[in-house]
Amino acid sequence: MKRMRHKGGVSLERRIFPYVMIAPNLLIFMIFIAIPAVYGFVYSLTDWGGYGELNFVNLQNYTELFGDRRFWISIRQTVIYTLCSLPLIVGVPLLLAVLLVSEIHGKSFFRAVFYWPSMISYIVVGLLFQFVFGESTGVVNYLLKLVGMESVSWFTKSGTAMAVVIAASVWSRSGFYMVTFISGLQSIDDTYYEAAMVDGAGKWRMFRSITVPLLKPTLFLVMILGFIDLFKQYGLVVTMTNGGPAGATKFAVQYIYEEAFQKFRLGYASALSMVLLVILAVITALQFKVMSGGAVNDK
């Protein structure tokens, strides 16, 4: 049986095949992202409380949220947390990856050890760091007392509470991004480094002039994934600090959750979610613009 051919000579099967391959991802995107986003926008135009009929209030929720000081404080805290965490989320895994692609003994063991925290849920990580940094029963304060130092109230001061949350985030996610960087590093052709060594380039010069430029797509991917993951942080913070002290670690997602499921203002919470979605989309688009979509400059 002859295959049906396009005007350009490409068979119909080959034209359809790419769409067949992306169909499962497209279906998942539609079911879990696109359709819920549409429903969320519809609910944001109502004062729905989780039951009963929808009562449309037009843009009243959006008018209210622009004057909602607590929401914008939670956005500010989220931005501070993200800006402080993202360089570490990128830098620490990159350092680990560079060390663990070199010829060292036991590197498979160390890869497994550093990757292990990323397999733990945020709830467990929060409980673990509560145990480690607890004021009266924490391991860290116990060690400080052993060396004659005063214990630190880690979760009752805004600065130290934020620092512990950042440390927990970096510890729990570094392994995942480390594996991503290892994959990117292993895809770089060794001939680049061999040529640089012949020219007398040192390790730092090779890292700066070869590794970083050729690793740009992977760096871009990690930055995008890390930014989104940090900006929608919820489980770890709620378990560890519950937004305290005095709201210093209450981030946007926690505030939206409280509005939706504690105050039962699902319509207003949907409007907050739409604004958060727009913020994420704008910042992600800016990252695409600045990083040129992760493309490597061949010039």
Side-chain angles (χ1 to χ4, degrees):
M1 182 182 294
K2 293 184 177 180
R3 293 184 178 181
M4 298 180 62
R5 292 190 171 273
H6 181 244
K7 292 181 180 179
V10 180
S11 65
L12 182 61
E13 291 86 347
R14 292 191 64 179
R15 290 179 59 205
I16 296 176
F17 183 72
Y19 297 100
V20 174
M21 295 299 294
I22 66 173
N25 282 337
L26 180 61
L27 183 63
I28 293 172
F29 174 79
M30 293 296 296
I31 293 175
F32 294 104
I33 298 178
I35 294 175
V38 172
Y39 273 96
F41 177 71
V42 173
Y43 290 144
S44 73
L45 302 176
T46 72
D47 61 358
W48 191 53
Y51 57 88
E53 296 182 357
L54 299 181
N55 179 35
F56 284 89
V57 294
N58 298 323
L59 299 178
Q60 180 177 321
N61 288 329
Y62 291 95
T63 303
E64 179 181 348
L65 73 84
F66 281 112
D68 189 344
R69 184 171 177 270
R70 290 183 302 163
F71 172 65
W72 294 109
I73 288 175
S74 72
I75 290 290
R76 183 193 66 191
Q77 297 303 113
T78 307
V79 171
I80 293 172
Y81 162 71
T82 302
L83 291 179
C84 292
S85 301
L86 190 58
L88 296 173
I89 285 286
V90 176
V92 172
L94 178 57
L95 175 61
L96 293 174
V98 170
L99 293 174
L100 294 177
V101 294
S102 58
E103 294 300 325
I104 61 173
H105 294 291
K107 66 179 180 180
S108 297
F109 169 76
F110 288 112
R111 286 181 183 181
V113 168
F114 288 122
Y115 181 73
W116 174 73
S118 66
M119 301 174 63
I120 307 175
S121 73
Y122 280 132
I123 304 298
V124 177
V125 173
L127 294 173
L128 176 62
F129 270 73
Q130 263 196 339
F131 171 74
V132 172
F133 290 93
E135 184 171 353
S136 58
T137 59
V139 175
V140 173
N141 279 340
Y142 174 74
L143 295 175
L144 289 175
K145 290 178 181 178
L146 282 181
V147 297
M149 299 177 66
E150 294 184 359
S151 61
V152 179
S153 302
W154 296 101
F155 296 114
T156 56
K157 297 179 180 178
S158 59
T160 53
M162 181 69 80
V164 174
V165 171
I166 292 170
S169 302
V170 175
W171 181 81
S172 64
R173 298 306 293 165
S174 289
F176 175 78
Y177 297 123
M178 176 197 71
V179 172
T180 307
F181 278 126
I182 288 175
S183 176
L185 289 169
Q186 290 177 336
S187 68
I188 299 176
D189 196 335
D190 289 337
T191 56
Y192 291 109
Y193 298 105
E194 293 169 359
M197 290 176 66
V198 171
D199 290 338
K203 290 185 177 180
W204 170 246
R205 180 59 186 272
M206 287 190 288
F207 177 79
R208 183 166 55 89
S209 302
I210 299 174
T211 303
V212 172
L214 294 180
L215 203 62
K216 186 177 178 182
T218 307
L219 279 167
F220 176 72
L221 175 64
V222 170
M223 288 183 63
I224 292 293
L225 293 178
F227 169 77
I228 294 173
D229 192 33
L230 292 168
F231 214 87
K232 60 184 183 67
Q233 184 61 262
Y234 172 72
L236 184 147
V237 181
V238 169
T239 307
M240 194 185 309
T241 66
N242 197 28
T249 59
K250 179 177 287 187
F251 301 145
V253 174
Q254 182 180 353
Y255 183 78
I256 293 171
Y257 174 87
E258 291 175 354
E259 290 293 322
F261 301 107
Q262 293 182 6
K263 298 181 181 180
F264 297 102
R265 302 182 66 197
L266 273 78
Y268 183 62
S270 297
L272 297 177
S273 298
M274 289 297 103
V275 172
L276 185 63
L277 175 63
V278 170
I279 293 173
L280 282 170
V282 170
I283 296 179
T284 302
L286 289 175
Q287 287 180 306
F288 265 92
K289 182 70 174 178
V290 172
M291 296 288 290
S292 301
V296 177
N297 188 357
D298 296 327
K299 294 181 181 180

